[in-house]
Amino acid sequence: MKLIRVIGIVVLALLVVIVAIPFFIDVNQFRPRLESELSTALGRPVTVGNLKLSIWNGTVAADDLSIGDDPAFGKAPFLQAKSLGAGVELLPLITSRKVNVTAITIDQPQILLLQTPEGKWNYATLGSKSAPPPQTSTPQAAGAPIDLSVKLVRITNGRLTVAHTSGHGKPIILDKVNIELKDFSPTSVMPFTMTAALNGGGEIKLDGKAGPLQDDAERTPLNASLKITHLDLVASGVVDPATGIAGIASVDGAAESDGKDFSAKGSVKAEQMKLVKGASPATRPLEFDFAVRHNLATRAGSLTQGDAHIGKAKASLTGTYAPHGESVTLKANLVGDAMALQELE
């Protein structure tokens, strides 16, 4: 009984200490240093809001998060989020005021992806060692760098907007974006998953591995599988309605990149297709098996497989493409033998 009483008193004392710790540790003292470290790591100005420490779940939370864009793309933020949560190891924080991050959660971020007519993306210089030092409003605090040991990076309920700097075309908007990146390290290969809903219709699921990170983020090696369901080509902004092309598509494929060449293969099923203005939707689905190879530097590539199926009618499409400003030149061969007219009707 005495042992149980002693244990009870010890546990009670520990609870009192745990409850009192938040009143003696002002985690906001880490904010200037955190902003400075993140700004240096990302090559962009980073600001975070008021920090709060939760002893019960071992997290430090910030009210707001903002990451600046590449100056060449303007002054609008690249990312804004309502909150940032970081799981931390409490013992180093309490005993030596050292921040070891085990998990990061970014909630409801607004992310803007922009591409120039030359094919350059605003995310390409994110984390680049060659990027100019960001201009931050807070001086870098003295001391050793923050120890980032991130086992999991999570983005929840975000919105991703993809647009062109020229303003041409309708932006593609992804809602309900959820991303998980495990064992984050710039020098290793990292597993990831992503799900999202396309504005106007369609759902996306992407999972695979990426890394190590490169100075140009677009050149980071990648191996992933992609599944898109019920994609409305016009309502989603994927196809310009002026072309007259419309329909509902599903995609099931895989892609990989070595940092120089990007290759993808898979199948597309398109229903209610229209290929010219004023046409009626096709009553039969179009199925298309494809394989494509794309050069990241030149943005040119080749369609090495393009097998189209309309019922029992089959045709093969192969060729090459190359960009010219915002337009694309296509050279292709379409071959179809003994295609029954009743299938094509």
Side-chain angles (χ1 to χ4, degrees), residues 9-217:
I9 294 173
V10 170
V11 170
L12 181 61
L14 288 174
L15 287 174
V16 171
V17 171
I18 290 173
V19 171
I21 283 175
F23 298 99
F24 294 100
I25 296 181
D26 179 17
V27 290
N28 275 291
Q29 66 182 300
F30 297 109
R31 185 167 61 178
R33 188 169 154 199
L34 181 63
E35 289 177 338
S36 177
E37 294 284 348
L38 289 174
S39 297
T40 300
L42 296 177
R44 307 278 180 88
V46 177
T47 58
V48 295
N50 183 59
L51 298 178
K52 294 169 287 187
L53 172 65
S54 173
I55 293 298
W56 301 109
N57 54 18
T59 61
V60 174
D63 291 335
D64 299 286
L65 170 67
S66 176
I67 300 175
D69 207 346
D70 185 323
F73 288 82
K75 297 182 179 180
F78 169 76
L79 180 149
Q80 283 185 307
K82 288 190 174 182
S83 67
L84 167 69
V88 296
E89 296 179 358
L90 287 178
L91 188 59
L93 177 63
I94 296 169
T95 59
S96 60
R97 299 188 181 274
K98 184 178 182 182
V99 181
N100 292 340
V101 181
T102 57
I104 294 176
T105 300
I106 302 174
D107 187 42
Q108 300 182 53
Q110 305 278 333
I111 306 171
L112 178 62
L113 295 185
L114 294 173
Q115 187 185 36
T116 67
E118 296 75 28
K120 299 295 184 181
W121 288 94
N122 63 337
Y123 71 82
T125 58
L126 194 65
S128 172
K129 297 176 183 177
S130 59
Q135 300 297 319
T136 58
S137 58
T138 55
Q140 184 170 351
I146 292 177
D147 184 2
L148 288 175
S149 175
V150 186
K151 295 296 183 182
L152 178 65
V153 178
R154 182 186 292 116
I155 291 177
T156 60
N157 199 24
R159 166 172 277 209
L160 179 64
T161 301
V162 183
H164 294 277
T165 56
S166 63
H168 295 166
K170 180 181 177 182
I172 298 175
I173 299 175
L174 276 64
D175 282 316
K176 301 178 182 177
V177 177
N178 295 291
I179 301 173
E180 284 194 358
L181 184 63
K182 297 180 180 179
D183 299 324
F184 175 81
S185 170
T187 59
S188 64
V189 177
M190 300 161 283
F192 70 89
T193 60
M194 170 184 167
T195 59
L198 275 157
N199 191 25
E203 296 183 351
I204 295 177
K205 182 178 181 182
L206 182 69
D207 63 85
K209 296 181 179 181
L213 296 179
Q214 305 298 308
D215 281 352
D216 183 341

